[in-house]
């Protein structure tokens, strides 16, 4: 037994001596290797073979980024892999500066299962040790995976710890050297980039260059540079370059960018969705997912904030303090270039605007110098006044304009001499080819920066077409409505056809044939002229458009040709005014022994088609469609129900005001299959024209409910109560007749109270 123990002790000593010899070989080999990648490859190969494992990894610590990183070979290239310094078993070993053996990783809470799920590799066992250079703070970790035979042991741990101790100094030296060389390269690239960018004056190209540089510098997915527009208090950036460039703008106090611009302080958000300042709606709109945000202000040389730089989604983890310092230094260097480019862009925009304005203006612009000679003529002036700038520049204005325009030359000379402006509205101007145009002409003196009079400017607005359109439109509608259409630019558009929601109003005189026979032709025309004068005023005063006269009937539209949210109210108010004015007019007629005139009004709201309809020789601006037809049917229904104003349910639901309405019926008009609820407007009535109105409407509404529930006896009692209050109530009489009819011949089981109209 003793001999056996001695042999074991000798064996362990021999194994230890072999390990020590091997580690001396490691140190010697590392000193001969030329690059950091070669060192990593050598160490990983050595430890996996020594421990008979499948894989190994060596992670070094990046203190600025708070990350552990390594590199893996990809052909002739290498890719850097980074993890959070606290992630997984490797992170635990680094943070605790303590080695560990994990032979059942899936039951260890420190193990990060997502890595296996992502790569498809299954970790069965692992051993991980910290790498120390000097002191108690590790510079990295060495990790080996999956012992090929058996489990990792303390002996394996001793071997890997010896390797870690032997390579620490070399690794630390190479890491420091690499970081210094990388820093030098970045500084050289940085200065070269700054030098290149500060010479660029095209703002869109400069912003794109800066964005590309910031994206590469920070290793992020996206970056944006916003500049402040002091005129609008907006942050703006330009996306794209050249003719395809376009601006994006947002208030300079909105979102994270606005907060940074207002405060002047950096914002570094590792988890965007956990920060209340982040607006996730932009991600929803674009489909981009924002993980991390770094935003810093851009200061000019006076320390004034002129914009912000924003970077999104640092690749491999959150943005670091080093990233903040680098982007701050970068923006500080290029701020002068950005400011110069913005100033150049503003100046170029003003120059281009001034040049383009004269050529693209629909108004003609003519300038003369201090001697009255033609100095410039824009394209529109050449077309309106029909004079050629090429042939006439430098000539006296009196020689250029037609001699019939001598009055205009006198006015221009007066403006040059007095320095006072003149406005000539609806003037008749004779053109170079002898034709005439109607124009609004504005004359203004031209004053130099030193206050000297250097000529005059003539602004010519051709209103010939507008006058023709206004004249045509005024025949269709109130002149004020025609003016409004032209001012809003829809005057020409209305001469086509378009679909729109409108409220249509129909009127008709009751017993017109009898009245006409009694009056005779001459008095009938006189009566109609008086009647139409009153009714048209009620339409136009409410903002409606008279569509046409149809014998003694009228058709009008509200909400056309200009849309209006109050079209339904305007039509109802117009109809109430019609009946009220008709009552006054009839009172005057009765005083002179003239026959009174009765009328009915039908109102409906629906989609209609409006436009000029007719032939090339004769056109009418009108409305067509089912909505128009229903309004006409409702006017005809006034006779049946003894009403003066009936509106459809479609108009009733659009009303914003409160009106005295009585639901009359649910009718199916001729040619239709769907029932429509109709309402009687009662606002124009007083106690004399409709006695006990509240009582009548109450009993009638109660009777209508019984009627629709086929309780005809109850309905008759309610309608009779209404007649007791007012014996002249026509709808109550009508419903009593219907109830008696349905008692004898009941309606079908699916009946919902509708009445089919057999007449138009």
């Amino acid at each position: 037994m003793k001999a056996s123990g001695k042999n074991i002790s000798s064996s362990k000593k021999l194994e230890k001596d072999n390990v020590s010899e091997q580690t001396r070989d490691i140190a010697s080999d590392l000193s001969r290797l030329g690059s950091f990648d070669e060192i990593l490859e050598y160490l990983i190969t050595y430890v996996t073979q020594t421990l008979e494992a499948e894989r190994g990894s060596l992670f070094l610590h990046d203190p600025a980024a708070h990350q552990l990183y390594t590199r893996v070979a990809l052909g002739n290239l290498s890719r850097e892999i980074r993890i959070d310094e606290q992630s997984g078993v490797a992170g635990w070993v680094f943070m605790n500066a303590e080695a560990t053996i994990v032979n059942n990783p899936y039951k260890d809470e420190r193990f990060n299962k997502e890595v296996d799920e992502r790569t498809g590799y299954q970790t069965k066992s692992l051993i991980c040790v910290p790498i120390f250079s000097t002191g108690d703070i590790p510079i990295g970790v060495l990790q080996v995976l999956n012992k090929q035979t058996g489990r990792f042991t303390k002996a394996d741990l001793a071997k890997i710890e010896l390797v870690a101790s032997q390579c620490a100094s070399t690794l630390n030296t190479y890491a420091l050297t690499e970081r210094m060389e990388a820093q030098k390269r970045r500084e050289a690239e940085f200065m070269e980039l700054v030098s290149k960018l500060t010479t660029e004056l095209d703002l869109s190209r400069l912003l794109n260059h800066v964005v590309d540089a910031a994206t590469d510098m920070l290793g992020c997915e996206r970056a944006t540079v916003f500049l402040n527009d002091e005129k609008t208090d907006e942050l703006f950036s330009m996306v794209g370059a050249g003719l395809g460039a376009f601006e994006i703008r947002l208030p300079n106090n909105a979102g994270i960018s606005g907060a940074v611009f207002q405060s002047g302080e950096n914002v570094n958000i590792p988890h965007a969705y956990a920060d209340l300042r982040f607006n996730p709606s932009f991600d929803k709109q674009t489909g981009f997912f924002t993980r991390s945000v770094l935003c810093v202000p851009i200061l000019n040389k006076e320390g004034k904030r002129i914009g912000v730089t924003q970077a999104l989604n640092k690749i491999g983890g959150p943005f670091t303090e080093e990233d903040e310092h680098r982007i701050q230094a970068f923006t500080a260097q290029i701020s002068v270039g950005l400011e110069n480019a913005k100033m150049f862009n503003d100046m170029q925009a003003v120059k281009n605007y001034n040049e383009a304005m004269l050529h693209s203006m629909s108004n003609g612009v003519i300038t003369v110098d201090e001697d009255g000679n033609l100095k410039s003529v824009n394209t529109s002036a050449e077309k309106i006044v029909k004079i050629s700038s090429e042939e006439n520049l430098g000539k006296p204005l009196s020689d250029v304009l037609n001699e019939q325009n001598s009055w205009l030359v006198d006015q221009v000379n007066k403006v040059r001499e007095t320095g006072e402006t003149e406005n000539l509205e609806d003037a008749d101007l004779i053109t170079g080819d002898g034709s005439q145009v109607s124009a609004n002409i504005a004359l203004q003196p031209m004053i130099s920066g030193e206050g000297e009079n250097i000529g005059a400017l003539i602004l010519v607005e051709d209103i010939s077409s507008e006058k023709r359109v206004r004249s045509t439109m005024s025949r269709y509608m109130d002149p004020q409505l025609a003016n409004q259409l032209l001012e809003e630019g829809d005057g020409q558009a209305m001469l086509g056809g378009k679909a729109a929601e409108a409220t249509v109003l129909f009127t008709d005189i009751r017993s017109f044939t009898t009245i006409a026979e009694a009056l005779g032709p001459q008095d009938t025309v006189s009566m109609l002229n008086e009647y139409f004068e009153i009714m048209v005023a009620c339409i136009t005063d409410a903002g409606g458009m008279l569509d046409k006269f149809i014998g003694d009937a009228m058709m009008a539209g509200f909400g056309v040709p200009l849309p209006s949210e109050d079209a339904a109210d305007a039509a109802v108010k117009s109809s109430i005014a019609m009946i009220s004015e008709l009552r006054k007019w009839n009172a005057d007629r009765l005083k002179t022994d003239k026959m009174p005139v009765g009328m009915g009004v039908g109102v409906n709201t629906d989609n209609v088609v409006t436009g000029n309809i007719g032939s090339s020789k004769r056109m009418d601006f009108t409305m067509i469609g089912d909505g128009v037809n229903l309004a006409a049917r409702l006017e005809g229904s006034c006779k049946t129900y003894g009403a003066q104003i009936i509106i459809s349910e479609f108009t009733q639901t659009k009303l914003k005001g409160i009106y005295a309405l009585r639901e009359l019926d649910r009718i199916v008009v001729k040619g239709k299959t769907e029932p429509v609820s109709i309402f009687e407007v009662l606002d124009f009535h007083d106690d004399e024209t409709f006695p006990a109105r509240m009582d009548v409407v109450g009993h009638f509404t109660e009777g209508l409910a019984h009627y629709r529930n086929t309780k005809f006896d109850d309905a008759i009692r309610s309608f009779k109560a209404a007649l007791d209050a007012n014996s002249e109530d026509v709808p109550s009489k009508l419903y009593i007749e219907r109830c008696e009819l349905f008692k004898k011949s009941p309606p079908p089981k699916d009946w919902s109270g509708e009445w089919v109209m057999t007449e138009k």
Side-chain angles (χ1 to χ4, degrees):
M1 291 292 291
K2 289 182 180 179
S4 176
K6 184 177 180 181
N7 290 337
I8 292 172
S9 177
S10 299
S11 176
K12 286 184 177 179
K13 183 177 183 302
L14 181 61
E15 184 178 343
K16 184 176 181 181
D17 290 341
N18 288 337
V19 170
S20 298
E21 184 65 32
Q22 288 171 352
T23 54
R24 284 196 295 272
D25 291 341
I26 292 173
S28 175
D29 289 343
L30 290 178
S31 65
R32 292 193 298 270
L33 295 176
S35 71
F36 186 47
D37 290 331
E38 290 175 348
I39 291 173
L40 288 177
E41 183 180 359
Y42 174 85
L43 287 173
I44 297 305
T45 301
Y46 180 83
V47 294
T48 53
Q49 290 178 352
T50 301
L51 271 65
E52 298 179 350
E54 292 181 2
R55 291 187 180 184
S57 300
L58 190 151
F59 289 93
L60 291 180
H61 184 236
D62 184 345
H66 300 288
Q67 294 173 330
L68 296 171
Y69 70 93
T70 188
R71 284 202 285 267
V72 295
L74 296 171
N76 295 326
L77 303 174
S78 65
R79 179 170 69 91
E80 192 170 83
I81 297 175
R82 287 177 172 262
I83 62 172
D84 187 88
E85 63 184 13
Q86 302 182 43
S87 175
V89 175
W92 184 91
V93 168
F94 175 78
M95 297 302 295
N96 290 276
E98 182 181 335
T100 187
I101 297 174
V102 181
N103 281 312
N104 197 344
Y106 279 83
K107 292 186 177 181
D108 194 303
E109 62 182 11
R110 299 170 297 179
F111 181 67
N112 186 355
K113 301 175 184 177
E114 293 181 2
V115 177
D116 278 10
E117 292 172 357
R118 190 168 59 248
T119 61
Y121 182 77
Q122 184 177 5
T123 304
K124 300 174 183 176
S125 59
L126 66 87
I127 186 169
C128 188
V129 299
I131 302 173
F132 297 94
S133 177
T134 56
D136 298 329
I137 301 176
I139 63 169
V141 296
L142 184 58
Q143 180 174 269
V144 180
L145 307 179
N146 291 3
K147 181 86 169 178
Q148 292 179 350
T149 57
R151 299 156 65 91
F152 287 113
T153 65
K154 290 184 178 180
D156 293 327
L157 183 61
K159 291 177 184 178
I160 193 172
E161 283 180 332
L162 279 171
V163 173
S165 64
Q166 289 297 315
C167 69
S169 177
T170 304
L171 287 172
N172 193 39
T173 301
Y174 271 103
L176 289 173
T177 303
E178 188 174 69
R179 284 201 290 268
M180 290 175 61
E181 290 177 352
Q183 181 66 23
K184 288 181 181 178
R185 286 196 303 272
R186 286 197 296 266
E187 289 178 359
E189 292 170 356
F190 177 82
M191 295 309 298
E192 182 181 355
L193 178 63
V194 168
S195 176
K196 177 182 177 181
L197 293 179
T198 51
T199 60
E200 177 64 72
L201 287 177
D202 184 279
L203 184 59
S204 64
R205 284 202 299 265
L206 176 58
L207 288 176
N208 279 280
H209 291 329
V210 172
V211 164
D212 292 341
T215 304
D216 292 340
M217 182 185 303
L218 299 177
C220 62
E221 293 181 7
R222 288 188 183 181
T224 308
V225 175
F226 289 101
L227 297 179
N228 184 49
D229 187 336
E230 294 181 348
K231 296 178 182 177
T232 62
D233 288 331
E234 292 177 314
L235 293 174
F236 73 94
S237 187
M238 303 179 85
V239 179
L243 296 176
F246 65 91
E247 282 190 357
I248 54 175
R249 286 180 170 263
L250 66 153
N252 65 10
N253 59 358
I256 293 173
S257 299
V260 170
F261 179 77
Q262 294 295 329
S263 67
E265 298 179 358
N266 297 350
V267 167
N268 188 349
I269 303 173
H271 305 290
Y273 279 81
D275 195 289
L276 295 177
R277 293 166 295 184
F278 177 69
N279 185 356
S281 63
F282 292 106
D283 279 9
K284 292 178 181 178
Q285 293 173 11
T286 62
F288 183 77
F289 181 76
T290 303
R291 298 188 305 275
S292 55
V293 181
L294 173 61
C295 191
V296 299
I298 303 173
L299 309 177
N300 66 9
K301 58 185 177 182
E302 287 82 25
K304 178 182 177 182
R305 293 189 289 275
I306 63 171
V308 296
T309 301
Q310 179 174 275
L312 304 178
N313 293 3
K314 172 81 172 182
I315 297 172
F319 292 101
T320 65
E321 292 181 12
E322 183 184 356
D323 291 328
E324 290 187 43
H325 297 322
R326 293 187 69 198
I327 197 62
Q328 274 186 306
F330 176 65
T331 54
Q333 291 293 326
I334 63 168
S335 63
V336 174
L338 287 169
E339 205 165 30
N340 290 340
K342 182 177 181 297
M343 189 182 303
F344 180 79
N345 185 73
D346 292 343
M347 292 173 59
Q348 191 67 34
V350 171
K351 179 176 179 292
N352 293 341
Y353 176 79
N354 289 336
E355 290 179 352
M357 181 176 64
L358 290 177
H359 292 288
S360 63
M361 283 177 63
S362 59
N363 293 340
V365 180
I366 302 170
T367 60
V368 296
D369 60 22
E370 62 272 21
D371 297 321
N373 298 322
L374 193 65
K375 189 174 182 180
S376 69
V377 181
N378 76 341
T379 305
S380 293
E382 288 185 314
K383 294 178 180 177
I384 296 170
V385 189
K386 294 182 173 58
I387 57 174
S388 169
S389 59
E390 213 173 288
E391 298 174 1
N392 293 293
L393 290 182
K395 293 182 180 180
L397 184 63
S398 56
D399 293 348
V400 175
L401 294 180
N402 191 294
E403 61 180 9
Q404 292 174 275
N405 297 321
S406 58
W407 58 271
L408 179 57
V409 177
D410 293 340
Q411 290 291 337
V412 173
N413 291 335
K414 177 183 174 183
V415 168
R416 286 196 300 109
E417 294 168 3
T418 63
E420 297 179 355
T421 61
E422 288 285 343
N423 290 306
L424 311 172
E425 295 185 357
D426 201 3
D428 292 329
L429 194 62
I430 307 302
T431 66
D433 63 1
S435 60
Q436 178 178 306
V437 295
S438 297
N440 291 333
I441 302 174
L443 306 176
Q444 294 187 353
M446 295 174 61
I447 310 298
S448 69
E450 291 75 29
E452 296 180 0
N453 193 324
I454 57 173
L457 180 144
I458 308 167
L459 185 67
V460 183
E461 178 189 11
D462 185 0
I463 61 170
S464 302
S465 176
E466 181 181 326
K467 283 182 70 175
R468 288 193 295 271
V469 173
R470 181 179 282 110
S471 175
T472 301
M473 291 168 64
S474 295
R475 298 175 187 174
Y476 297 130
M477 66 192 76
D478 178 73
Q480 290 184 345
L481 183 58
N483 290 337
Q484 183 182 355
L485 276 169
L486 290 172
E487 289 170 5
E488 296 189 8
D490 287 341
Q492 294 293 342
M494 64 159 280
L495 296 180
K498 63 179 182 180
E501 184 179 270
T503 299
V504 183
L505 181 150
F506 259 92
T507 72
D508 192 21
I509 293 177
R510 295 289 171 262
S511 305
F512 177 73
T513 302
T514 303
I515 295 173
E517 289 175 353
L519 291 177
Q522 190 170 349
D523 288 341
T524 297
V525 171
S526 177
M527 181 273 292
L528 280 177
N529 287 338
E530 286 184 42
Y531 168 79
F532 285 141
E533 190 73 28
I534 296 169
M535 297 302 124
V536 170
C538 292
I539 294 169
T540 56
D541 288 348
M545 179 195 75
L546 175 65
D547 186 289
K548 61 169 65 71
F549 297 111
I550 312 168
D552 60 305
M554 287 190 305
M555 173 179 163
F558 294 80
V560 288
L562 291 176
S564 170
E565 294 182 357
D566 302 318
D569 288 86
V572 170
K573 289 175 182 177
S574 175
S575 63
I576 294 170
M578 286 178 175
I579 302 301
S580 299
E581 291 299 319
L582 180 69
R583 186 184 300 165
K584 296 177 186 177
W585 184 53
N586 279 332
D588 292 336
R589 288 177 63 82
L590 289 170
K591 290 177 183 178
T592 56
D593 296 326
K594 293 180 180 178
M595 187 181 299
V597 175
M599 67 180 291
V601 183
V603 180
N604 179 47
T605 303
D606 201 349
N607 284 324
V608 300
V609 176
T610 63
N612 268 326
I613 296 174
S615 69
S616 59
K617 295 183 179 180
R618 173 65 186 272
M619 286 189 178
D620 281 323
F621 183 81
T622 189
M623 302 175 291
I624 58 175
D626 287 343
V628 177
N629 297 335
L630 180 56
R633 301 286 190 275
L634 296 182
E635 181 277 317
S637 297
C638 287
K639 304 171 188 175
T640 302
Y641 295 93
Q644 289 180 277
I645 305 173
I646 292 180
I647 67 173
S648 71
E649 63 178 88
F650 310 117
T651 299
Q652 185 263 340
T653 56
K654 293 286 184 178
L655 293 175
K656 296 180 179 179
I658 299 175
Y659 304 89
L661 303 179
R662 167 166 60 165
E663 185 176 3
L664 287 176
D665 207 346
R666 297 185 73 240
I667 63 172
V668 179
V669 298
K670 190 170 183 180
K672 294 293 179 181
T673 57
E674 293 298 322
V676 177
S677 294
I678 61 174
F679 298 81
E680 180 183 12
V681 179
L682 304 171
D683 293 79
F684 56 87
H685 280 297
D686 54 27
D687 291 339
E688 183 180 344
T689 60
F690 197 147
R693 187 179 75 182
M694 295 296 290
D695 292 337
V696 172
V697 172
H699 291 306
F700 179 86
T701 303
E702 182 182 65
L704 188 61
H706 290 317
Y707 170 79
R708 289 177 176 171
N709 288 321
T710 66
K711 297 178 180 179
F712 299 117
D713 288 330
D714 293 338
I716 291 172
R717 280 192 291 272
S718 296
F719 291 131
K720 284 183 176 180
L723 289 174
D724 288 340
N726 184 346
S727 60
E728 300 300 320
D729 189 50
V730 175
S732 295
K733 295 177 182 178
L734 177 67
Y735 271 97
I736 289 174
E737 293 176 3
R738 287 189 190 175
C739 288
E740 295 293 352
L741 177 64
F742 281 132
K743 285 173 67 177
K744 296 177 182 177
S745 178
K749 290 183 179 180
D750 59 350
W751 182 70
S752 60
E754 69 273 9
W755 183 262
V756 179
M757 306 294 288
T758 57
E759 296 180 356
K760 292 185 177 180

